[in-house]
Amino acid sequence: MTQVVPPIQPRKLAKVPFAELAEGRLQGVVSSGSDIDRVYVSSIEAGTHDFSCSTNNNRPCGGVYGGGCKHLSALMDEAILQYGAGRVRRYLRIDGEGDDLMRQLKGTHQQAPAATVFSRFLRHLAYLELPTTTEPLPELHWFPARRRES
């Protein structure tokens, strides 16, 4: 059984429906504030703090070139709610002190492919649409059964 870390605080999923600490990045999907049909895929690299923000079809966010954008800030805020500031700080390897983690980032804009993160988001949505069951999922049949120790 996979352990899921419960959120530190409840999140509102309308603005940031998907946020994860994975693949050496804080990455996620952020809704556009101006177009209901548009989403942005944003990420911050652990260690270097290089960042990227573009639409799901790789059109760059206009605000990202000024050293960050509102989508990155929204992603960081929701990650802190979901994982806690300490865990986000450790994962991204942010040195320094204080509550505003965005101000402590020293990275530069580096275009990252949005397709992988967006694909993970779509897969996440597909699982949410499945009916509730305790039966194994056919597409995950290749995971070995775990024996319970007595």
Side-chain angles (χ1 to χ4, degrees):
M1 177 179 283
T2 302
Q3 269 191 316
V4 177
V5 178
I8 301 297
Q9 295 178 27
R11 292 196 316 113
K12 293 181 181 174
L13 299 177
K15 184 63 180 165
V16 182
F18 185 66
E20 66 178 355
L21 297 171
E23 300 173 355
R25 295 187 296 265
L26 165 59
Q27 56 191 18
V29 174
V30 181
S31 299
S32 169
S34 60
D35 184 349
I36 196 163
D37 293 326
R38 184 179 304 139
V39 295
Y40 289 84
V41 178
S42 303
S43 65
I44 301 169
E45 187 87 19
T48 65
H49 306 149
D50 290 343
F51 53 88
S52 177
C53 186
S54 63
T55 63
N56 56 306
N57 55 2
N58 282 330
R59 291 197 176 113
C61 168
V64 76
Y65 297 108
C69 65
K70 63 183 178 181
H71 307 111
L72 288 165
S73 294
L75 177 64
M76 178 68 80
D77 291 345
E78 292 301 311
I80 290 169
L81 286 177
Q82 184 166 327
Y83 298 108
R87 186 167 183 200
V88 173
R89 179 186 294 279
R90 285 188 302 276
Y91 189 85
L92 293 177
R93 298 190 303 266
I94 298 173
D95 296 329
E97 304 205 5
D99 294 335
D100 190 351
L101 299 185
M102 285 300 292
R103 288 193 178 271
Q104 298 174 42
L105 300 177
K106 304 296 184 209
T108 59
H109 176 255
Q110 298 293 323
Q111 188 62 31
T116 304
V117 177
F118 194 68
S119 176
R120 290 170 65 94
F121 169 61
L122 293 177
R123 173 66 60 199
H124 175 76
L125 288 180
Y127 287 122
L128 293 176
E129 293 175 354
L130 293 175
T132 302
T133 181
T134 57
E135 297 297 314
L137 296 173
E139 72 178 29
L140 299 177
H141 74 279
W142 50 271
F143 280 111
R146 293 182 73 181
R147 290 186 179 175
R148 293 184 183 238
E149 304 274 335
S150 303

